[in-house]
Amino acid sequence: MNNQTTETLKKIMAKKTLGLPLTPHEIAFLTLYGNTTTEATK
């Protein structure tokens, strides 16, 4: 996974953590890639 994908996932997870509404695009992105950022950073 490239750096741009990882950064995008981190931003989406931050929005989700803060309880901000996600756009349909962000929801689809999260569905596709899931929690791969947490696995990749370990």
Side-chain angles (χ1 to χ4, degrees):
M1 195 171 2
N2 63 26
N3 289 338
Q4 184 177 8
T5 304
T6 304
E7 292 299 318
T8 303
L9 279 171
K10 286 181 184 177
K11 289 177 186 177
I12 293 171
M13 291 304 291
K15 280 181 72 173
K16 188 176 178 183
T17 302
L18 291 172
L20 298 173
L22 299 177
T23 65
H25 178 263
E26 291 170 335
I27 293 169
F29 204 86
L30 194 59
T31 302
L32 280 174
Y33 292 102
N35 292 329
T36 54
T37 54
T38 56
E39 294 170 7
T41 56
K42 289 183 181 178

